[in-house]
Amino acid sequence: METTDQNNAVDAPVRLKGMGDGLCVSLDPDQPSDFIRSELVRLFQPLKHLAINARVVLDFGESEGDDALVDELGAFLKETFGVGSVNKSAKRRTASEDLLRQRDMDRSWHHYRSDVLMLTGRVRSGQKVTARRHLLLLGDVNPGGEVVSGGDILIMGSLAGTAIAGQPEGSDAIVLALDFRPTQIQIGPVVAAGLPPSRQGFPEYAHMEGGNIVVENYMEANPFGRMPWPEVR
Amino acid sequence: MGKTTATASIGAALAAEGKRVAVVDMDIGLRNLDVVMGLENRIVFNVVDAVKGKCKIQQAAIKDRRIENLYLIPASQSDNKNVLIPEDMVRFGEKIRLEFDYVLMDCPAGIERGFENSVAAADEAVVICMPEVSSVRDADRVIGLLYARDITPKLVVNRIIPDMVARGEMLSHEDIVDVLSIDLLGLVPMDDHVVISTNTGMPLIMQKDSKAGKAFRRIAMRLNGNSDIPIEIPQGQGRFWKRIGTKFGLGK
Ligand SMILES: Nc1ncnc2c1ncn2[C@@H]1O[C@H](COP(=O)(O)OP(=O)(O)OP(=O)(O)O)[C@@H](O)[C@H]1O
Ligand SMILES: [Mg+2]
């Protein structure tokens, strides 16, 4: 859906994509206005007559983006390329997000892939399991055993050995175990050893908070329960 | 851990059941199975000689003084563990298995060449573990290495002090089986008769009131196919053995 060429690279500050019968422009409102205008010219020029009377939505991503900027850029686009309407996208759910969610529903998430190494069994002392990204183990990690991943580590059993998640830099990774009593946890570059003994009897998980590793009751914290829409991790 | 004690006792118990048994001391350079069995002054040839073909297996096998059908193949004291390689042991295994019903190898401590040599020729393995955290960790490591060689080991917990377990001062066998999750073959209590046996050369299993001796006899019977013999949990304070199901530790 997203056309990506050198003019419209994913990390470019101003990007354009087709969206239903309209056009969506993603931009960073903190860029200087002259720069944004020149980028718009670069992106709209090749569209020629396709831009005429088009509905344009400006998506400021995470930033607020003030209305004056919308008005200014709107006037500029109407004048220069004859577009129809120019509006700011709804903050929480942009029109493009609508489309993405519709697609998720239609294809039942079949169009996603996630890199998970799923294993069953027991990781014994002296053994080391390394997953490129996420690791899901239906089993246990014994004292002296080690599990390492580029992403999350989920142990459906007891974790009594060492778990090293989010290698090398992924500080948003979590380590979850039904019975959480590891000898050592590492998330990204941060190490936590000598964790207090778990209260046991419920699943706990470790994650990074303000540069520290924090362990919490997973069901109570429910870290992903409030996400509006299922996402690929 | 009690590997040497277990090898001598299980070997003796199997022989006492009428099997033809060889116990082989694989602890080359640090032999002591001969001392434990009271056969140290009969050694002429040793396992290195037998493996290297310098003597026949029958020449290296020393007949036990007390138990019929029990033979010791001693370690050599002067050599280094590296004189043997696993390939030698595989060939030796092919030969020796023709002459005995059971061949028990007393594995040295560690996971180096001595371990490799013992495992190379083995069909089965018994892991001896003490109720201590560090011992459990070592046993777990060894179990992982055995599985890596497609050997499914069985577990003996040795030197259990029931009163300490009762007071929560010693790991219980349940704790150990939880972590190691392999089939339990038997539980052996701490027993002064073990030292008496080593010092007098009188086999542990022949000492009438040795609880450890009884436990090893039962382990031997279970190894010998009587898998329905229940595992008995050592009890302190003069209380008797408590029975639990035979399924203990199975399918975990
Ligand atoms: N059940 C028991 N009760 C009391 N003492 C025991 C028991 N089992 C073993 N021992 C003692 O523990 C010591 C070590 O036993 P043993 O030599 O059998 O262990 P090992 O595993 O062969 O050791 P190594 O690794 O040095 O070869 C010995 O002094 C032995 O008498
Ligand atoms: Mg020994």
Side-chain angles (χ1 to χ4, degrees), chain B residues 91-116:
Chain B
R91 266 187 285 110
F92 179 65
E94 299 302 326
K95 274 195 270 171
I96 195 171
R97 73 176 67 227
L98 302 175
E99 316 214 3
F100 297 93
D101 297 320
Y102 286 99
V103 178
L104 307 185
M105 285 179 284
D106 181 16
C107 198
I111 52 173
E112 293 85 24
R113 180 70 71 78
F115 172 79
E116 296 289 341

Side-chain angles (χ1 to χ4, degrees), chain A residues 194-208:
Chain A
L195 294 150
S198 151
R199 286 160 294 173
Q200 291 194 24
F202 41 77
E204 290 182 295
Y205 81 117
H207 60 111
M208 286 271 278

Side-chain angles (χ1 to χ4, degrees), chain B residues 43-210:
Chain B
I43 298 174
V44 180
F45 295 108
N46 60 52
V47 66
V48 174
D49 299 325
V51 171
K52 294 281 184 199
K54 294 197 188 121
C55 71
K56 295 204 176 96
I57 289 175
Q58 296 93 314
Q59 290 175 290
I62 305 165
K63 198 172 174 336
D64 189 73
R65 284 183 293 156
R66 292 187 175 81
I67 298 173
E68 214 31 50
N69 290 328
L70 178 62
Y71 295 83
L72 164 72
I73 300 184
S76 81
Q77 187 67 297
S78 51
D79 289 305
N80 173 291
K81 289 192 170 71
N82 297 334
V83 299
L84 297 182
I85 57 170
E87 289 75 8
D88 291 338
M89 288 306 298
V90 173
R91 266 187 285 110
F92 179 65
E94 299 302 326
K95 274 195 270 171
I96 195 171
R97 73 176 67 227
L98 302 175
E99 316 214 3
F100 297 93
D101 297 320
Y102 286 99
V103 178
L104 307 185
M105 285 179 284
D106 181 16
C107 198
I111 52 173
E112 293 85 24
R113 180 70 71 78
F115 172 79
E116 296 289 341
N117 284 339
S118 309
V119 170
D123 301 324
E124 293 181 72
V126 176
V127 172
I128 316 289
C129 178
M130 293 192 303
E132 286 172 20
V133 170
S134 60
S135 174
V136 174
R137 185 83 69 101
D138 292 347
D140 195 31
R141 176 93 176 102
V142 166
I143 290 165
L145 294 172
L146 290 167
Y147 272 123
R149 286 161 181 77
D150 203 21
I151 294 176
T152 302
K154 296 194 170 85
L155 178 68
V156 168
V157 182
N158 183 33
R159 298 183 69 152
I160 296 172
I161 304 175
D163 290 334
M164 286 183 72
V165 176
R167 290 194 300 268
E169 294 164 356
M170 183 177 262
L171 289 175
S172 73
H173 65 275
E174 286 103 335
D175 296 336
I176 297 171
V177 170
D178 256 5
V179 170
L180 300 181
S181 75
I182 57 173
D183 285 356
L184 187 60
L185 195 57
L187 303 171
V188 183
M190 185 75 123
D191 185 348
D192 289 344
H193 290 90
V194 173
V195 180
I196 298 171
S197 159
T198 306
N199 291 340
T200 62
M202 170 65 102
L204 189 60
I205 62 147
M206 290 177 76
Q207 300 193 27
K208 277 226 156 44
D209 37 30
S210 165

